[in-house]
């Protein structure tokens, strides 16, 4: 009797695993975004910057950023898989996290894992290596066109779900404008004269952590937004992106004057001031897997493909040979830089 119960439980476990494998709909996604220098007559100056979903999957930040707080404390940083799980709130909410991160002034065009990757059961989305992409010929053809600048190219594997449960992917690239503008496009005032002195006595080191936290500035990327792919009988691609470009904006300001009767006259002055406009690309399109889709725009272009792939059937093995973070010298650069994945962009 006991033997029959064990056989029945084993059969139910295998059946549930099979049902789970069939319920998942994993696809391979490849995205290439480029900017074009177009003299468009459309006006986007008053368009607000896109609202970024803090819960979106972020493949790029773990590769290009350096966790200064973690290095100082001998802790490890966040991986791209950590960014997509619920177990690491600090990774999923970087804007309110107490960690201090440094970012490069420009995101590399090629964002990829250092070695070929694959999806596993009960794991999140996976960023693939550059060798696993298929847009090499397309990128070469686009780069031959005049007035075209590539911004970002990446490939990943993701379990595509219904719109209610789908997780968007954070996409950003290009320059960092945070030294000139804030996230909403307003010019950053020059406060170098009011900056604290760099000379600290031994008794001042206790406040160094607070200074690092208050001085941290989040990057303002040239391209920023999300791409959400979901299933509703058909595949859908929902783009919510914005391309930032420096321009001039007419700003109203109040100027007060005293007249001969000691009364205050308030005059409104209009002046042109630098402004970082956000040019939106917001589209929702039904697509078919395997086809190459092009999203056209006066200022940029997006080439995407959603490919069918073998569904994951294996559980990710535990790697016991990885060195602990404490054994790594604090002075060594990040693994992404050592492996040569992050390459500087050159025009």
């Amino acid at each position: 009797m006991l033997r029959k119960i064990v056989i029945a439980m084993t059969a139910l476990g295998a059946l549930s695993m099979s049902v789970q494998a069939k319920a998942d709909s994993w696809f391979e996604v490849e995205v290439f975004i480029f900017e074009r220098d177009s003299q468009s007559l459309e006006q986007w100056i008053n368009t607000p910057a896109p609202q970024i979903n803090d819960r979106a999957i972020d493949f790029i930040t773990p590769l290009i950023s350096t966790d200064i707080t973690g290095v100082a404390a001998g802790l490890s940083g966040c991986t791209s898989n950590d960014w997509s799980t619920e177990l690491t709130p600090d990774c999923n909410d970087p804007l309110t996290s107490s960690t201090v991160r440094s970012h490069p002034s420009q995101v590399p065009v090629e964002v990829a894992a250092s070695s070929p990757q694959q999806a596993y059961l009960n794991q999140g989305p996976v960023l693939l290596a550059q060798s696993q992409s298929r847009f090499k010929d397309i990128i070469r053809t686009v780069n031959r066109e005049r007035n075209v600048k590539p911004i970002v190219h990446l490939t990943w594997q993701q379990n595509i779900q219904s719109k209610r449960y789908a997780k968007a992917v954070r996409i950003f690239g290009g320059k960092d404008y945070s030294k000139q503008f804030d996230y909403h496009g307003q010019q950053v005032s020059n406060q170098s004269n009011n900056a604290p002195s760099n000379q600290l006595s031994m008794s001042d080191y206790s406040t160094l952590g607070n200074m690092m936290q208050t001085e941290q500035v989040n990057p303002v990327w040239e391209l920023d937004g999300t791409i959400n792919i979901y299933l509703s009988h058909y595949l859908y691609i929902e783009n919510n992106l914005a391309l930032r470009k420096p321009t001039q904006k007419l700003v109203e300001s109040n100027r007060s004057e005293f007249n001969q009767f000691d009364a205050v006259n308030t005059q409104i002055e209009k002046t042109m001031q630098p402004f970082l406009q956000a040019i939106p690309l917001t589209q929702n399109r039904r697509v078919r897997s395997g086809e190459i889709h092009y999203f056209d725009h006066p200022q940029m272009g997006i080439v995407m493909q959603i490919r069918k792939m073998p569904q994951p059937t294996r559980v990710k093995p535990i790697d016991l040979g990885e060195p602990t973070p404490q054994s790594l010298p604090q002075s060594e650069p990040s693994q992404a830089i050592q492996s040569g994945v992050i390459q500087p962009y050159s025009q």
Side-chain angles (χ1 to χ4, degrees):
M1 183 66 181
L2 180 61
R3 182 170 179 271
K4 292 182 178 180
I5 294 176
V6 173
I7 294 175
M9 292 179 63
T10 305
L12 286 175
L15 179 61
S16 63
M17 182 68 73
S18 176
V19 171
Q20 176 67 27
K22 290 182 179 179
D24 290 343
S25 299
W26 282 79
F27 289 87
E28 195 169 278
V29 182
E30 187 164 359
V31 176
F32 172 57
I33 303 178
F34 59 91
E35 177 186 356
R36 57 162 53 97
D37 186 9
S38 175
Q39 300 298 326
S40 175
L41 299 178
E42 296 186 52
Q43 299 294 324
W44 297 284
I45 294 181
N46 296 323
T47 303
Q51 295 294 326
I52 303 301
N53 182 3
D54 294 337
R55 312 302 295 182
I57 302 164
D58 190 346
F59 295 114
I60 305 176
T61 298
L63 286 179
I64 68 170
S65 68
T66 302
D67 191 342
I68 302 175
T69 308
V71 172
L75 303 175
S76 61
C78 299
T79 66
S80 58
N81 187 58
D82 294 333
W83 233 272
S84 61
T85 64
E86 303 291 336
L87 302 179
T88 51
D90 288 342
C91 295
N92 284 307
D93 197 6
L95 297 179
T96 59
S97 174
S98 59
T99 58
V100 179
R101 296 184 176 277
S102 64
H103 301 80
S105 59
Q106 178 124 10
V107 178
V109 175
E110 293 292 339
V111 176
S114 58
S115 60
Q117 304 292 320
Q118 70 177 83
Y120 292 97
L121 285 174
N122 302 322
Q123 295 291 318
V126 179
L127 179 68
L128 301 184
Q130 188 173 351
S131 61
Q132 295 175 278
S133 63
R134 303 182 186 180
F135 279 4
K136 183 177 180 180
D137 294 336
I138 294 176
I139 295 175
R140 185 187 299 112
T141 301
V142 172
N143 288 338
R144 289 197 190 106
E145 297 184 11
R146 297 181 57 185
N147 302 323
V148 167
K149 183 185 75 173
I151 298 181
V152 66
H153 172 226
L154 67 163
T155 309
W156 70 89
Q157 292 179 348
Q158 179 184 7
N159 179 21
I160 307 299
Q161 299 178 326
S162 64
K163 188 174 184 179
R164 180 180 179 181
Y165 299 103
K167 285 189 176 182
V169 175
R170 174 86 181 277
I171 302 292
F172 61 87
K175 303 177 183 178
D176 175 19
Y177 286 104
S178 60
K179 292 184 178 180
Q180 297 85 29
F181 303 94
D182 63 15
Y183 186 82
H184 301 286
Q186 302 297 329
Q187 187 177 19
V188 177
S189 59
N190 187 4
Q191 299 179 351
S192 59
N193 295 331
N194 299 327
S197 173
N198 293 330
Q199 297 180 354
L200 299 174
S201 62
M202 294 300 294
S203 60
D204 293 331
Y205 282 113
S206 60
T207 62
L208 183 59
N210 294 332
M211 289 178 58
M212 292 175 63
Q213 183 172 352
T214 56
E215 291 180 359
Q216 180 180 5
V217 178
N218 292 313
V220 180
W221 298 115
E222 183 177 0
L223 172 75
D224 205 346
T226 57
I227 293 179
N228 189 24
I229 304 172
Y230 63 91
L231 275 170
S232 181
H233 299 293
Y234 298 94
L235 280 170
Y236 287 85
I237 298 176
E238 189 175 42
N239 295 320
N240 183 21
L241 300 166
L243 180 68
R244 293 183 170 99
K245 283 192 174 184
T247 184
Q248 296 287 323
K249 182 180 181 180
L250 190 63
V251 178
E252 295 183 354
S253 59
N254 296 331
R255 184 170 63 90
S256 301
E257 291 182 348
F258 288 92
N259 58 23
Q260 57 182 344
F261 302 105
D262 293 333
V264 178
N265 292 331
T266 302
Q267 298 180 355
I268 299 178
E269 291 185 345
K270 296 182 178 181
T271 57
M272 297 296 292
Q273 296 184 8
F275 181 74
L276 189 65
Q277 69 175 356
I279 304 173
L281 191 155
T282 305
Q283 295 177 339
N284 193 328
R285 180 188 299 181
R286 194 183 83 178
V287 298
R288 291 184 178 180
S289 63
E291 295 182 352
I292 297 177
H293 303 278
Y294 175 62
F295 296 84
D296 195 15
H297 188 276
Q299 299 291 331
M300 57 181 144
I302 303 178
V303 183
M304 288 188 63
Q305 186 181 33
I306 304 174
R307 302 185 283 263
K308 292 181 179 180
M309 56 170 282
Q311 301 303 294
T313 57
R314 297 174 53 197
V315 178
K316 186 176 182 179
I318 300 176
D319 188 357
L320 301 178
E322 293 184 358
T324 59
Q326 289 79 3
S327 64
L328 295 176
Q330 295 184 6
S331 60
E332 289 195 10
S334 64
Q335 183 179 359
I337 297 177
Q338 287 181 342
S339 60
V341 176
I342 304 302
Q343 298 294 335
Y345 170 75
S346 59
Q347 290 184 333

